[in-house]
Amino acid sequence: MAPTLTLKPGTAWSDAWQRCLAVAPEAFRDDRVLNLWASAWKADGRALPATSPIDGSPIAGPPRLDAPTAGQAVRASLDQHRAWRHVPLPERRARVAATLDALTEHRELLALLLVWEIGKPWRLAQADVDRAIDGVRWYVEGIEPMLANRAPLSGPVSNIASWNYPMSVLVHAMLVQALAGNAVIAKTPTDGGVACLTLASAMAAREGIPITLLSGSGSELSSSLVRSPEIGCVSFVGGRDTGARIATAVADLGKRHILEQEGLNTWGIWNYTDWPTLTSLIPKLFDYGKQRCTAYPRFVVQRTLFDEFLAAYLPAVRSIRTGHPLAVEHPEDPLPTLDFGPLINAAKAKELADQVGEAIDRGAVPLHRGSLADARFLPGQDTSAYLPPVTLLNPPPSSPLHHAEPFGPVDTIVLVDTEAELLAAMNASNGALVATLSTDDPSTYERLAPQIRSFKVGHGKPRSRGDRDELFGGFGASWRGAFVGGELLIRSVTEGPKDERLPGNFPDYHLMP
């Protein structure tokens, strides 16, 4: 009989909220978070109700602004930008470093907010916070040569990012952009992360860093955050549909832009025998339920190896651990080590479950369908946002699972007989951020890898977005605008020599570093 679990003492949403009120009373009210603009926290906007994906319980929702107020905020950010760009670099470094010290002091609270707001297991939530802090500190320590003969942009950087990595992607980008001499604007993701971002922004604002933090719908705020003449650069992380609309707008305006978009990241298996290594990697590929831009939801497998692939894959996928990220058997127990918790909300879980059902109805073969029966849950808790791992063979072309990233714990497998078929299947989405090819022969990898339309290609191991000095970008529809990472992130948000061509994927050219 499974043990009865309980919520780890001190980890309730109410505990986290009270700690936020104590740590940053200027940014939090009794019942809501505030927007930050014109160097002041403001109780404007209409606070929407929100629930935690963990158990459907109420949490703080985004205080959504209207378009006119967002326009005022952008104009105020330009005033901040014009002052901040003249602040000497040593002072900017000191202020960003002080912010990092404050984030480090409140590391566990930031991580706990991520658990409740976006459902990250404790280990991954802490890693998200740590990657932000460590990544920005790398820039603080080595920024001088990166800024040599460069100047801040003409206006603030506008950041619009998805909900899945509030700290290691969004806060990281904001602090590096400010270090480079720019004021920064960020829109809180609609689906989650507003309290974590508010707390992190409060730490930065206290040090005098010119941050604007706004909530609102994309349709309501896009005119201000994308098209405003005051904006010096648009930085976007999200889906292809929204990214394409932003790409059209910034191209029309000739505006600096960094648009990271999704792609179908694939893992190819060809003339391969090291199955124990693959088995050890499969659980890691399910981190955070594959709700990340560098997840691998598609395996392209040589048909003659399919039986050996399944023998290596299925035991690993059956070992995946999911459940309530804060549930323990005894109060003194550490928080559980899980591969993933809930998806971002119940609607996404239902959408993906429906897509799986439709794909099977149209001919996909279910190779594995996990169960929540053995998952770690509190008695009687809402589990509507949870989806166990699913693996399908040959999703039909009519299914979204055939050509798009599911952004959830669903793997699809395609069988191929020739190298040409392998490459075609791995290039199904007109560009991807990462890919991997598992093959025993190094010469085969060297010959095929350049033909895979992915910015990064691993040899038998997964690739990641990267930290610190590792550059990042994308091919095809997976990326528009300047590439980032290391020195390129600084170059993307600063002005260099006249007629400089930044490495990136632009409408009129594609330039690799």
Side-chain angles (χ1 to χ4, degrees), residues 141-408:
E141 294 170 354
I143 189 63
E144 286 93 342
M146 300 184 201
L147 283 176
N149 302 314
R150 305 195 68 81
L153 299 174
S154 61
V157 181
S158 177
N159 294 272
I160 304 169
S162 57
W163 43 265
N164 53 343
Y165 285 93
M167 291 295 298
S168 63
V169 173
L170 184 50
V171 170
H172 176 278
M174 294 161 62
L175 292 178
V176 174
Q177 292 159 7
L179 180 64
N182 303 289
V184 296
I185 303 169
K187 175 188 173 297
T188 63
T190 302
D191 288 325
V194 62
C196 179
L197 286 168
T198 299
L199 182 61
S201 297
M203 301 296 99
R206 285 180 179 178
E207 302 301 333
I209 295 177
I211 282 181
T212 296
L213 185 66
L214 309 175
S215 291
S217 70
S219 59
E220 187 83 8
L221 302 191
S222 63
S223 178
S224 297
L225 300 184
V226 175
R227 292 184 170 274
S228 290
E230 293 88 351
I231 298 296
C233 175
V234 177
S235 177
F236 169 83
V237 179
R240 286 195 175 184
D241 291 343
T242 302
R245 290 192 293 270
I246 293 177
T248 300
V250 295
D252 291 345
L253 298 168
K255 197 182 293 291
R256 182 76 63 87
H257 57 284
I258 308 160
L259 311 181
E260 176 187 329
Q261 301 167 150
E262 64 190 19
L264 185 61
N265 304 319
T266 58
W267 192 300
I269 307 288
W270 189 260
N271 292 340
Y272 180 71
T273 59
D274 188 8
W275 302 112
T277 294
L278 182 67
T279 298
S280 70
L281 291 172
I282 295 300
K284 297 181 178 66
L285 302 184
F286 277 88
D287 272 359
Y288 196 32
K290 304 207 173 195
Q291 296 177 105
R292 48 198 174 93
C293 63
T294 54
Y296 287 83
R298 168 67 52 81
F299 287 89
V300 181
V301 182
Q302 188 176 8
R303 191 182 306 273
T304 55
L305 298 179
F306 185 44
D307 57 337
E308 295 175 82
F309 171 82
L310 283 184
Y313 173 90
L314 288 176
V317 78
R318 289 172 182 146
S319 73
I320 299 298
R321 299 152 299 177
T322 187
H324 192 304
L326 304 173
V328 295
E329 185 175 354
H330 304 290
E332 67 276 11
D333 289 348
L335 290 170
T337 301
L338 303 173
D339 296 295
F340 64 93
L343 300 193
I344 187 57
N345 51 48
K348 175 61 181 180
K350 182 181 184 305
E351 172 193 286
L352 200 49
D354 289 346
Q355 289 180 359
V356 167
E358 290 171 2
I360 293 172
D361 288 344
R362 296 173 185 175
V365 178
L367 298 177
H368 173 75
R369 280 189 278 191
S371 168
L372 296 179
D374 297 325
R376 297 173 55 89
F377 293 126
L378 300 180
Q381 80 160 78
D382 185 329
T383 61
S384 57
Y386 293 79
L387 184 75
V390 176
T391 307
L392 301 179
L393 174 65
N394 290 336
S398 59
S399 168
L401 299 175
H402 178 80
H403 54 78
E405 183 179 12
F407 231 63

Side-chain angles (χ1 to χ4, degrees), residues 22 27 72 81 124 203 218 234 249 307 321 354 409 423 467 470 474 504:
Q72 294 179 49
H81 180 83
L124 299 178
M203 301 296 99
V234 177
D307 57 337
R321 299 152 299 177
D354 289 346
L423 292 171
D467 290 309
E470 186 176 4

Side-chain angles (χ1 to χ4, degrees), residues 2-204:
T4 300
L5 302 179
T6 186
L7 189 68
K8 174 81 172 177
T11 66
W13 170 256
S14 58
D15 297 320
W17 186 254
Q18 290 303 313
R19 290 169 64 185
C20 289
L21 291 171
V23 170
E26 71 272 27
F28 294 84
R29 290 283 174 87
D30 288 341
D31 60 346
R32 62 179 292 171
V33 299
L34 307 184
N35 289 298
L36 172 62
W37 60 277
S39 302
W41 292 96
K42 302 175 185 288
D44 49 12
R46 181 169 59 93
L48 295 185
T51 57
S52 170
I54 288 179
D55 60 3
S57 60
I59 60 173
R64 297 175 67 155
L65 293 177
D66 56 24
T69 307
Q72 294 179 49
V74 169
R75 290 188 289 274
S77 180
L78 178 60
D79 292 338
Q80 291 179 304
H81 180 83
R82 287 170 172 164
W84 179 254
R85 71 196 310 266
H86 297 296
V87 172
L89 177 58
E91 183 176 344
R92 298 201 307 264
R93 287 182 63 189
R95 294 188 184 190
V96 173
T99 300
L100 297 177
D101 291 342
L103 295 177
T104 301
E105 179 183 354
H106 299 290
R107 167 183 179 266
E108 292 199 353
L109 176 55
L110 291 162
L112 184 58
L113 291 170
L114 291 180
V115 175
W116 279 108
E117 293 192 284
I118 61 174
K120 283 203 169 182
W122 183 240
R123 171 180 61 88
L124 299 178
Q126 290 178 300
D128 193 15
V129 177
D130 291 342
R131 284 180 61 191
I133 295 169
D134 295 343
V136 178
R137 204 175 294 282
W138 182 86
Y139 284 94
V140 169
E141 294 170 354
I143 189 63
E144 286 93 342
M146 300 184 201
L147 283 176
N149 302 314
R150 305 195 68 81
L153 299 174
S154 61
V157 181
S158 177
N159 294 272
I160 304 169
S162 57
W163 43 265
N164 53 343
Y165 285 93
M167 291 295 298
S168 63
V169 173
L170 184 50
V171 170
H172 176 278
M174 294 161 62
L175 292 178
V176 174
Q177 292 159 7
L179 180 64
N182 303 289
V184 296
I185 303 169
K187 175 188 173 297
T188 63
T190 302
D191 288 325
V194 62
C196 179
L197 286 168
T198 299
L199 182 61
S201 297
M203 301 296 99

